[in-house]
Amino acid sequence: MAIELTKEIKELFEDPQSIKVLATTGRDGNLNVVFKQSLRINEQGYIEYKELIETSQTNKNMVYSIWFHKLVSVNIRNGNKSYQIKGYPYRSLIAGREFEAAYREVQEKHGKIDLSAVWRIEPVEIREETFEKRRVEEEVEHPILKHLDRLVIQN
């Protein structure tokens, strides 16, 4: 695996109060951003989610991303903590033991709803997006970029 997710990030994924977002891009270059509360971290440390709709734009974009090795982005937020995790889709489960277990889980939770695929994403980059942390990082990286009103000398 390219990078390991921290304990804090894993706990955010486990918390049902966390907001989880998946951003993908299609072959036309158009961005697709969706809430995916089924996003989780599996035992191997990969991000995975259950896609319920075979023909969804997200599913189409994930197929494009796995075929052409394109990045996807997962954002997770809870309270003031926020992270962006970029990664590559590396596997789509559509049959087999693991898929069948996920299918049964979806049926138990949602009733007679189909499961299209279980997507797995390999994380390659993590960036904390918590406002205060990002503000400090940007001020350190770009010290001369300030609004003029912040440069006025105070007596």
Side-chain angles (χ1 to χ4, degrees):
M1 181 169 15
I3 79 176
E4 190 171 331
L5 300 173
T6 65
K7 182 180 180 203
E8 179 182 31
I9 292 173
K10 290 176 183 177
E11 288 172 354
L12 283 174
F13 273 91
E14 291 172 10
D15 187 340
Q17 299 301 311
S18 293
I19 298 169
K20 303 167 192 171
V21 177
L22 175 63
T24 60
T25 317
R27 66 184 173 133
D28 55 5
N30 288 332
L31 187 63
N32 183 57
V33 180
V34 292
F35 295 98
K36 292 286 183 185
Q37 286 306 109
S38 68
L39 282 159
R40 69 180 199 96
I41 308 297
N42 70 13
E43 299 77 31
Q44 295 79 34
Y46 294 100
I47 299 169
E48 80 178 20
Y49 86 95
K50 296 172 185 80
E51 178 58 63
L52 303 179
I53 302 173
E54 183 81 33
T55 57
S56 73
Q57 190 61 53
T58 302
N59 203 42
K60 292 174 188 175
N61 290 358
M62 290 294 285
V63 170
Y64 172 76
S65 295
I66 200 169
W67 283 356
F68 296 102
H69 198 62
K70 300 292 183 183
L71 282 170
V72 299
S73 178
V74 172
N75 290 64
I76 186 160
R77 181 182 178 151
N78 192 325
N80 291 331
K81 281 293 180 184
S82 179
Y83 289 91
Q84 178 187 61
I85 305 160
K86 293 180 183 176
Y88 292 102
Y90 81 96
R91 181 164 292 149
S92 175
L93 303 175
I94 57 170
R97 238 181 20 247
E98 293 176 85
F99 177 82
E100 287 177 14
Y103 188 87
R104 282 191 299 276
E105 190 179 300
V106 166
Q107 294 272 304
E108 288 169 9
K109 186 174 182 178
H110 300 290
K112 298 293 180 191
I113 293 180
D114 286 335
L115 175 63
S116 172
V118 177
W119 283 97
R120 292 195 176 151
I121 300 165
E122 180 180 11
V124 295
E125 181 184 329
I126 300 171
R127 180 175 178 161
E128 184 173 346
E129 292 289 339
T130 305
F131 174 74
E132 191 56 32
K133 178 158 175 90
R134 291 290 304 128
R135 186 188 64 76
V136 169
E137 286 174 354
E138 290 298 321
E139 284 184 358
V140 168
E141 192 171 329
H142 307 285
I144 61 170
L145 292 178
K146 296 189 189 292
H147 285 243
L148 292 176
D149 60 341
R150 289 181 62 195
L151 297 176
V152 174
I153 298 173
Q154 301 287 331
N155 286 332

